[in-house]
Amino acid sequence: MKIRKENEKLIVPERVTIPFIEGDGIGREITPVAQKVVDEAVKKAYGGERSIEWRETLAGEKAFKSTGEWLPAETIGVFREHIVGIKGPLATPVGGGIRSLNVAMRQELDLYVCLRPVRWFDGVASPVKEPWKVDMVIFRENTEDIYAGIEWQQGTPEAHKFLRFLTAEMGVTKVRFPDTSSFGVKPVSVEGTERLVRAAIRYALDNRRPTVTLVHKGNIMKYTEGGFRTWGYALAEREFGEEIHSGRLTVNDVIADAFLQNTLLTPEKYSVIATLNLNGDYISDQLAAMVGGIGIAPGANVNYDSGHAIFEATHGIAPDIAGKNLANPSSLLLSSVMMLEYLGWNKAAALVTTAMERAFADSEATIDLARFMPEGNALGTKEFGECVINKIKVL
């Protein structure tokens, strides 16, 4: 049965159909493992009263081989129809075509928030001394900034035309090497800023997180990133002034480069982050590295207005280890936890998280993590999934 949205709320049936994209490379290994773990958690949590019917839909190499298209229109239609879905990592076509399958899906469904929670698990090795202080949720704008993909390559007629417009019509004189420059345009809007910051603030209030920090480079890009800061503060004051003035929530801002330094020195000062696309890319990966790597970093792409959401593994397809039973399914597992929470199935979500916590605390993990653990027990992809399932059964 299908999820629907009524009166600003998701209505989730007890037997729900969730579309999924298996993914390329290691996606073929981690996706079935994640599904088995989720199925066990749902069964354990609800005694068979709830269940997920997994509906496969195609994108990436599997879609291209089957249909001749990297991202069939039918796939977008299925995700639009069912509202909530999940995907493994996808390859990006080389030599033309779609710039990025992930970006295309986000834009088609207007999934304007890239949601990236970051926390440390006891037992996971980290390059920082106090990784337990990292507990942040990043709201990264997903549809504007550089991911809008407005560029013109050096030497093309389009680049020359754009240069003529800049110099003749706009009076621009600061292009240092105009004849050999490529150009890009960075759109940042009031509406795009407001809906992102609104979602971040609502999340902070709903989850009792004390601060929302606007991260930007507005000291240099005064009308784009500076606009993001200005419009973000204005939205916060206009719609959440009571919560701010009562002390229930603090909204502040930090320059992006200072923020990256601060996350290493005083990560405990930050809770919910709202930022633009490129900044969010850097921030998400740095924070993931601080708690053990992108292999255990979950993510989602969400439109909080329509309810549409696609949860995903945040790493690549890792072709060098594909088919070798070495891949770490943790990113997709934790993204599945986010999906269960989004559905309101929090008991099942907690079972998966607790089972993974116990596995890592027992030094049981795939080789990428186990090799850095004292007496680490390196498990294969399937075996790690079985380990998590066994721990769910005894919870």
Side-chain angles (χ1 to χ4, degrees):
M1 297 180 67
K2 300 174 186 175
I3 297 168
R4 65 185 191 278
K5 191 173 186 183
E6 293 181 2
N7 300 321
E8 305 300 318
K9 292 184 179 180
L10 289 183
I11 307 300
V12 181
E14 301 292 295
R15 314 287 182 183
V16 63
T17 300
I18 299 293
F20 74 95
I21 296 169
E22 182 181 62
D24 299 320
I26 60 172
R28 301 182 186 98
E29 297 166 80
I30 64 174
T31 294
V33 167
Q35 289 173 340
K36 289 178 182 178
V37 171
V38 169
D39 287 343
E40 182 62 37
V42 171
K43 178 182 175 182
K44 172 79 172 183
Y46 306 111
E49 293 182 0
R50 293 179 179 178
S51 64
I52 293 175
E53 177 189 358
W54 301 100
R55 175 179 174 178
E56 184 172 12
T57 185
L58 301 180
E61 293 175 348
K62 195 171 185 178
F64 187 75
K65 291 177 181 178
S66 176
T67 69
E69 297 180 89
W70 289 93
L71 183 59
E74 179 185 354
T75 295
I76 295 296
V78 169
F79 278 101
R80 181 174 284 115
E81 177 185 5
H82 288 274
I83 301 182
V84 175
I86 193 165
K87 56 176 283 297
L90 291 174
T92 295
V94 176
I98 295 175
R99 176 186 293 262
S100 164
L101 294 172
N102 293 324
V103 172
M105 295 180 71
R106 294 166 188 169
Q107 292 178 342
E108 284 287 334
L109 295 172
D110 196 24
L111 304 175
Y112 61 85
V113 170
C114 179
L115 184 64
R116 295 282 296 271
V118 185
R119 54 153 291 191
W120 179 70
F121 287 87
D122 186 18
V124 175
S126 166
V128 299
K129 291 193 297 183
E130 299 176 314
W132 53 89
K133 291 184 176 181
V134 180
D135 184 10
M136 301 182 213
V137 180
I138 302 146
F139 280 71
R140 171 190 174 195
E141 208 291 320
N142 232 356
T143 62
E144 299 190 313
D145 197 8
I146 63 166
Y147 270 48
I150 306 172
E151 290 188 298
W152 298 278
Q153 187 177 2
Q154 175 271 333
T156 62
E158 292 80 8
H160 288 304
K161 184 176 181 179
F162 186 70
L163 175 62
R164 287 195 300 271
F165 170 74
L166 288 178
T167 55
E169 301 292 331
M170 303 300 292
V172 173
T173 60
K174 295 181 180 180
V175 181
R176 183 60 58 87
F177 303 108
D179 294 333
T180 58
S181 291
S182 293
F183 297 95
V185 173
K186 174 190 177 79
V188 179
S189 70
V190 175
E191 294 91 340
T193 296
E194 287 185 343
R195 65 182 185 174
L196 179 88
V197 174
R198 181 183 296 114
I201 291 176
R202 285 177 175 169
Y203 179 93
L205 292 171
D206 290 344
N207 292 275
R208 298 183 179 181
R209 287 180 170 260
T211 62
V212 173
T213 302
L214 310 176
V215 179
H216 60 91
K217 192 64 177 171
N219 56 329
I220 302 299
M221 292 172 276
K222 299 184 182 298
Y223 305 123
T224 51
E225 304 229 355
F228 176 84
R229 173 188 180 276
T230 300
W231 304 325
Y233 271 129
L235 179 282
E237 180 64 31
R238 184 172 69 249
E239 296 188 11
F240 302 95
E242 181 179 344
E243 290 83 356
I244 292 170
H245 294 300
S246 70
R248 186 178 169 197
L249 179 72
T250 298
V251 177
N252 53 30
D253 76 282
V254 180
I255 301 296
D257 46 330
F259 177 78
L260 289 171
Q261 175 181 241
N262 293 348
T263 57
L264 289 168
L265 299 175
T266 55
E268 67 276 10
K269 289 185 177 181
Y270 301 106
S271 179
V272 176
I273 311 304
T275 190
L276 290 159
N277 194 284
L278 184 59
N279 297 332
D281 206 359
Y282 299 148
I283 291 165
S284 297
D285 282 9
Q286 175 176 301
L287 291 177
M290 290 168 64
V291 297
I294 201 166
I296 56 170
N301 303 285
V302 186
N303 182 317
Y304 285 94
D305 304 315
S306 69
H308 286 93
I310 299 179
F311 299 83
E312 64 180 356
T314 60
H315 51 71
I317 66 172
D320 56 322
I321 61 170
K324 298 180 180 179
N325 197 38
L326 296 174
N328 185 351
S330 295
S331 174
L332 195 57
L333 279 171
L334 292 170
S335 296
S336 300
V337 168
M338 293 175 67
M339 182 187 74
L340 290 169
E341 292 171 341
Y342 191 73
L343 297 178
W345 294 11
N346 295 324
K347 188 175 180 180
L351 286 173
V352 178
T353 302
T354 301
M356 293 181 68
E357 288 173 337
R358 294 190 177 185
F360 295 142
D362 292 340
S363 296
E364 295 178 301
T366 48
I367 190 170
D368 57 317
L369 300 180
R371 60 184 171 171
F372 298 117
M373 295 173 170
E375 301 181 1
N377 180 18
L379 303 175
T381 309
K382 293 179 181 178
E383 288 73 21
F384 181 71
E386 292 167 1
C387 171
V388 175
I389 287 172
N390 288 335
K391 292 182 184 298
I392 289 173
K393 288 180 177 179
V394 298
L395 287 175

